Amino acid sequence: MSAEDAVVVVSITPGEKREAAAVLASAFVTNPNCIAMLGGAGEKERKRLEVVFRLVRLEHPRSKALVAREGGRIVGVLNAIDWPHCRTSPLRRPGILPELVAALGMALFRSRAVQRMWASYDLDEPHSHLGPVGVLPGMQGRGVGKRMIERYCQLSDERGVASFLETEKPENVRLYERFGFGIVAGADALGVHNWFMYRPASRKC
C-alpha cells in the first residue's frame, strides 16, 4: 500500500480541532505571508499560528473542515467557509479578541492589513472560500494535499458551489490549476505577492 493509499480524508470532529490547528501551524509557519505577519518562522511563531488557526478558522461556526488521517494521527487539514460568512471579521465573534491579542500582540495589526487586502478581492457572490490547506512538513510531497483537494472539489461539485481562494506560493497555484482553479487577480501585502483563484460551480453528481 502506498503512502497516499494509507491516508483517509474525512470531516473533522469537534475534538480534533486543537490537533488540526497544530498541523496547520506547522505547515504554514514558513509560508511568506506568515513570516511577514509574525516576523519569523520559529517555535514561538508556530504557537501563535496554532491559536489563530483554531480561533479564526476551525472554530468558526460555519467552518467546513476536512482532515487527512494516517493511522491515528492527523497529517493534513483543509478548511472552507461558505459565503457570506467568510466575509465576517473574526473580531466580531464574542470573546475572540482577548485571546487573539494575547497570541499575536502587535502582529495582529500586520495580520489585519493582509486580511483587509484579501477581503478587497473576495467574491461578492455565493461561493465556498477555501483555505487554509496544510500538510505536516514530513508528509508533504506524498499526495496528501491532493487527496484533500480532490475530496473538497467532489463535495463542491455535488453542491453546485463555486470556489475561491488566495495563495502566495507559485507551486500552490500550479496545484490548484490542476483542479480547475484559474487566477483572477493578484496583489501584494507586506511585500508578499498573493494570487486569487476561482473555480466555477459544477454539478457532477
Side-chain angles (χ1 to χ4, degrees):
M1 179 184 294
S2 69
E4 185 175 340
D5 291 336
V7 172
V8 178
V9 178
V10 295
S11 295
I12 197 171
T13 64
E16 293 177 319
K17 291 181 179 180
R18 287 186 178 271
E19 182 184 358
V23 169
L24 286 173
S26 295
F28 274 82
V29 69
T30 57
N31 275 28
N33 278 333
C34 295
I35 292 174
M37 287 186 283
L38 300 177
E43 179 61 13
K44 178 180 71 174
E45 288 77 25
R46 190 202 64 77
K47 288 182 176 179
R48 296 165 106 181
L49 278 178
E50 191 172 332
V51 174
V52 172
F53 283 131
R54 176 176 57 82
L55 289 177
V56 176
R57 301 297 186 183
L58 299 174
E59 292 186 356
H60 190 291
R62 301 299 181 119
S63 170
K64 298 178 184 293
L66 300 173
V67 293
R69 294 200 198 107
E70 183 187 55
R73 64 172 183 155
I74 296 174
V75 296
V77 182
L78 178 152
N79 192 71
I81 299 173
D82 282 352
W83 181 92
H85 308 290
C86 60
R87 301 292 299 272
T88 304
S89 170
L91 300 183
R92 295 182 182 178
R93 283 161 44 205
I96 198 172
L97 184 57
E99 199 167 352
L100 274 181
V101 170
L104 292 177
M106 295 302 294
L108 178 62
F109 296 99
R110 293 191 294 274
S111 174
R112 292 298 296 154
V114 175
Q115 293 287 338
R116 283 193 295 271
M117 186 274 282
W118 284 348
S120 70
Y121 285 90
D122 199 357
L123 299 181
D124 194 20
E125 62 185 58
H127 67 277
S128 170
H129 200 125
L130 176 59
V133 181
V135 177
L136 280 177
M139 292 291 292
Q140 292 173 8
R142 298 170 62 180
V144 177
K146 174 187 165 189
R147 287 283 299 275
M148 292 192 296
I149 298 168
E150 281 178 344
R151 181 58 180 150
Y152 166 80
C153 289
Q154 288 170 359
L155 293 171
S156 297
D157 288 344
E158 289 171 5
R159 298 168 61 207
V161 176
S163 301
F164 183 79
L165 62 85
E166 56 274 322
T167 183
E168 79 274 35
K169 299 180 75 173
E171 58 267 37
N172 288 350
V173 171
R174 294 189 291 271
L175 173 63
Y176 288 120
E177 286 176 335
R178 291 168 54 189
F179 290 94
F181 285 86
I183 296 171
V184 293
D188 294 351
L190 303 181
V192 178
H193 189 72
N194 288 249
W195 289 272
F196 300 89
M197 305 186 73
Y198 174 80
R199 183 179 188 268
S202 178
R203 290 194 181 276
K204 297 181 179 179
C205 53

